[in-house]
Amino acid sequence: MYQQIVVLTGAGISAESGLRTFRDQDGLWEEHHIEDVATPEGYERDAELVERFYNSRWQQLHSGTVVPNAAHLALAKLEAEFTGQLLIITQNIDDLHERAGSRRLLHMHGELSKGRCPRSRQTFILRDPFGASNCCTCCIPAQRLRPHVVWFGEMPLGMDSIHDALDNCDLFIAIGTSGTVYPAAGFVDAANHHGAQTVEVNMMAPDRHCQFQYHLTGKAGELVPKLVDTILAGQVIGSESSL
Ligand code: BV8
């Protein structure tokens, strides 16, 4: 039934894996000022503070207690069995989609498991926590690696591919995102403009919920597997027989 599907995920899809979201109760922004830890200016002002912020998230992600949940696994199953085209655009910097088996994946806000040379922009798999001694190998003198993360005021990654996918999709699904950060929050408008069906999976009705044609309210870990089964059965979302 559907030929080209775009899925946008946010922090909410990783919540059931034990990773904190940003804007929920007990979220990351309750403990940190965005301008201090998620802007280039904040990094210029106090690199160690920003490094502590990302090092603690990196250590939690690789502590052995954080694993992909049923929503990540369902999207990997969709990629394996769907005969059309699928692209997962994630705002998340964790690697839970990869660990669930997804490959058609674009990290538009970067990746926690990589560092970047501030001079060459070359990325490096993070083997040690960020710090003054964790430097690139591409420059002389070696440069202190920064998180390979898109901060506020920086251009998200893969925007050309994203716009191409949004212009051609017939189904756009947003999972676990508050719809407060642009340009990701505007993707639903592009999908609507090009005639795609737009579906939102969230625990509540977030900022841009009125732009979506369908809302599935509840936990991603429960709803996404059912949504994937509906799609793989060739059913239209929102029809009587479907979810
Ligand atoms: C840029 C770093 C341009 C990574 C982050 C209009 C147009 C364009 C830009 C702007 C604009 N207006 C303002 C801007 C600037 C700004 C912006 O959007 N500001 C906002 C605050 C208004 N945007 C930018 O700066 C972006 N860059 O536009 O560049 C440009 C042009 C030319 C030249 C240069 C630049 C860059 C944005 C990226 C910022 N980086 N973080 C990191 O540390 O992780 S943002 C941060 O918020 C994360 O990346 C995160 O991905 C993003 C969105 O948060 P969510 O993922 O949605 O998480 P949140 O906690 O908010 O919500 C969780 C949701 O899940 C909730 O709805 C909850 O109900 C739900 N949920 C919880 N549990 C579950 C669940 N749902 C289902 N099941 C559950 N179990």
Side-chain angles (χ1 to χ4, degrees):
M1 173 62 201
Y2 299 108
Q3 298 304 319
Q4 294 197 310
I5 301 175
V6 172
V7 179
L8 172 70
T9 63
I13 199 172
S14 298
E16 291 159 82
S17 296
L19 293 183
R20 292 165 73 182
T21 65
F22 292 89
R23 296 169 183 85
D24 290 328
Q25 202 170 2
D26 186 33
L28 287 162
W29 294 153
E30 282 196 355
E31 263 174 40
H32 305 275
H33 294 293
I34 289 180
E35 56 276 6
D36 292 338
V37 294
T39 63
E41 297 77 14
Y43 182 67
E44 278 300 309
R45 228 178 5 255
D46 187 347
E48 282 79 12
L49 171 67
V50 176
E51 288 167 346
R52 282 196 300 276
F53 177 62
Y54 287 99
N55 284 337
S56 67
R57 292 168 68 189
W58 186 81
Q59 272 140 15
Q60 184 200 6
L61 186 57
H62 296 282
S63 62
T65 60
V66 175
V67 295
N69 63 56
H72 297 105
L73 295 169
L75 291 179
K77 175 185 172 187
L78 181 62
E79 179 174 324
E81 299 180 16
F82 179 56
T83 54
Q85 291 187 40
L86 169 71
L87 175 64
I88 298 173
I89 304 164
T90 186
Q91 299 173 89
N92 301 338
I93 61 175
D94 63 57
D95 60 353
L96 295 177
H97 281 300
E98 291 91 331
R99 285 159 59 185
S102 291
R103 291 296 172 269
R104 293 279 301 130
L105 181 64
L106 199 162
H107 280 275
M108 67 175 290
H109 289 167
E111 297 173 70
L112 188 51
S113 56
K114 291 179 181 170
R116 189 167 82 217
C117 171
R119 180 181 290 169
S120 70
R121 291 185 66 83
Q122 188 175 329
T123 58
F124 298 82
I125 297 296
L126 207 61
R127 305 238 181 271
D128 301 301
F130 290 107
S133 59
N134 195 349
C135 294
C136 75
T137 55
C138 53
C139 302
I140 298 175
Q143 302 294 307
R144 182 181 192 149
L145 289 182
R146 60 157 277 182
H148 177 51
V149 163
V150 177
W151 287 324
F152 286 96
E154 295 185 324
M155 179 61 86
L157 308 172
M159 290 307 295
D160 290 344
S161 306
I162 290 172
H163 285 306
D164 185 49
L166 290 171
D167 291 353
N168 295 289
C169 73
D170 50 12
L171 177 60
F172 176 75
I173 306 169
I175 302 170
T177 182
S178 60
T180 48
V181 174
Y182 288 83
F187 291 170
V188 62
D189 303 317
N192 278 325
H193 176 71
H194 289 282
Q197 211 177 12
T198 52
V199 179
E200 175 176 57
V201 178
N202 202 304
M203 294 275 280
M204 47 169 278
D207 280 16
R208 311 282 340 268
H209 73 282
C210 48
Q211 302 303 321
F212 288 85
Q213 294 152 24
Y214 295 102
H215 306 270
L216 301 174
T217 304
K219 289 187 173 182
E222 292 162 14
L223 291 173
V224 176
K226 292 176 188 161
L227 185 59
V228 166
D229 288 345
T230 295
I231 294 168
L232 292 176
Q235 293 169 353
V236 174
I237 296 163
S239 61
E240 290 70 50
S241 57
S242 83
L243 197 66

